[in-house]
Amino acid sequence: MEPLSVVIITYNEARNIGRCLESVRPIATEIVVLDSFSTDATRAICARFGVSFFEHAFDGHIEQKNRALELASHKWVS
C-alpha cells in the first residue's frame, strides 16, 4: 500500500480532534494538522497523538487547505 498523508485544518477543535485523529490513525502514514492559533486544548491533544502540528493565521478554507497540502510529505493525501 502507498503511504498516505492525512491533512486536517483546525481552529478550537478540542471537542472533536481526538476522535478525528483516532479515526484516521489506522490508514494514515502521516497526519498533518494546520491550526489557526486555537485558544483551547487542540494543540495539546494533537501532541498526544504525535502528529505534525503547524500554525498559520486563517486566510480562507481553500488557502488553508492548500497550505496544509504543501506540508504533506506523501504523494497520496486525504
Side-chain angles (χ1 to χ4, degrees), residues 7 30 32-34 52 54 66-74:
V7 298
E30 166 189 57
V32 175
V33 174
L34 180 59
S52 297
F54 301 92
N66 285 337
R67 186 170 288 105
L69 288 172
E70 292 174 7
L71 296 168
S73 61
H74 300 304

Side-chain angles (χ1 to χ4, degrees), residues 8-22:
I8 303 164
I9 60 173
T10 60
Y11 178 70
N12 288 341
E13 289 294 335
R15 199 170 128 212
N16 303 307
I17 193 66
R19 289 189 317 273
C20 176
L21 296 173
E22 195 64 49

Side-chain angles (χ1 to χ4, degrees), residues 7-59:
V7 298
I8 303 164
I9 60 173
T10 60
Y11 178 70
N12 288 341
E13 289 294 335
R15 199 170 128 212
N16 303 307
I17 193 66
R19 289 189 317 273
C20 176
L21 296 173
E22 195 64 49
S23 73
V24 298
R25 199 183 233 176
I27 62 165
T29 309
E30 166 189 57
I31 301 173
V32 175
V33 174
L34 180 59
D35 185 71
S36 300
F37 298 100
S38 290
T39 58
D40 64 2
T42 299
R43 182 184 192 110
I45 295 166
C46 289
R48 287 197 302 260
F49 279 84
V51 304
S52 297
F53 188 89
F54 301 92
E55 292 179 308
H56 189 275
F58 186 77
D59 54 2

